Amino acid sequence: CQGDRYNIKTSNIAESINSALKRARGFPVQFLLEFIREKLGKWFWKRREDGLSLPTQHSRGVEYLLAVRSEIADTMTVQPIVGWRFFVKGGKMDCVVDLEHGKCDCGVYAVEKIPCSHAIAAGTSVGLHISTLVYPVYAKDFLFAGYSENIYPC
């Protein structure tokens, strides 16, 4: 796949929906549809409120990953190659990091669009703030926008 693969970290969505709708399965279709509408409305409202209340620039999950990876990055050594390319030694493997294109030899940065510990080490070595290395889709504004629509009853 040459494009972004957004399904890498997801589990079987059909199983998740089936589990959420288990209580309404034996009822008529009209009740099932209203149950789905109510459930989605609650989920959207809760996630919209969570997005608004975030004190940080990114979601809680991304901030946690950045904190853990920053601790690992502190133990690494960085050697500049050229421009925005760096050789980072340490961790499980030594890697070449390209901050301009968001790539690292470990593959994590290119797939997740969240900087790996190698990219964090390279970025901090040149004075970049970690949040500038995270792709914009993880910003709390994007999170809020994803749940901004209201789900009205019929």
Side-chain angles (χ1 to χ4, degrees):
C1 176
Q2 297 301 316
D4 293 333
R5 294 169 47 186
Y6 296 105
N7 63 342
I8 289 175
K9 294 172 65 174
T10 59
S11 60
N12 187 345
I13 190 68
E15 291 299 323
S16 299
I17 294 294
N18 281 340
S19 176
L21 303 179
K22 189 182 288 188
R23 282 192 14 220
R25 252 189 255 161
F27 291 99
V29 172
Q30 183 178 0
F31 178 83
L32 177 65
L33 292 175
E34 180 59 20
F35 185 85
I36 291 169
R37 188 208 56 81
E38 261 184 52
K39 182 73 78 175
L40 288 174
K42 287 177 186 175
W43 287 346
F44 269 54
W45 181 81
K46 183 179 182 330
R47 285 166 178 80
R48 186 170 40 244
E49 293 299 311
D50 284 349
L52 280 174
S53 69
L54 286 173
T56 58
Q57 187 175 354
H58 302 100
S59 69
R60 288 177 185 87
V62 171
E63 292 291 339
Y64 174 76
L65 281 176
L66 292 175
V68 170
R69 292 175 181 176
S70 291
E71 287 184 25
I72 298 168
D74 290 341
T75 66
M76 299 178 170
T77 58
V78 179
Q79 300 170 359
I81 298 174
V82 64
W84 291 103
R85 297 186 102 191
F86 303 88
F87 180 66
V88 181
K89 294 173 85 171
K92 293 183 180 178
M93 63 186 287
D94 299 341
C95 295
V96 173
V97 176
D98 185 348
L99 293 178
E100 184 179 11
H101 298 103
K103 293 182 181 175
C104 177
D105 286 346
C106 71
V108 172
Y109 195 11
V111 170
E112 291 183 350
K113 309 298 186 202
I114 301 169
C116 60
S117 53
H118 305 103
I120 292 172
T124 54
S125 74
V126 292
L128 291 177
H129 193 273
I130 299 169
S131 64
T132 61
L133 301 174
V134 180
Y135 276 60
V137 295
Y138 290 106
K140 75 177 184 179
D141 296 337
F142 273 76
L143 176 66
F144 179 76
Y147 296 105
S148 63
E149 293 296 323
N150 296 315
I151 299 177
Y152 295 102
C154 295

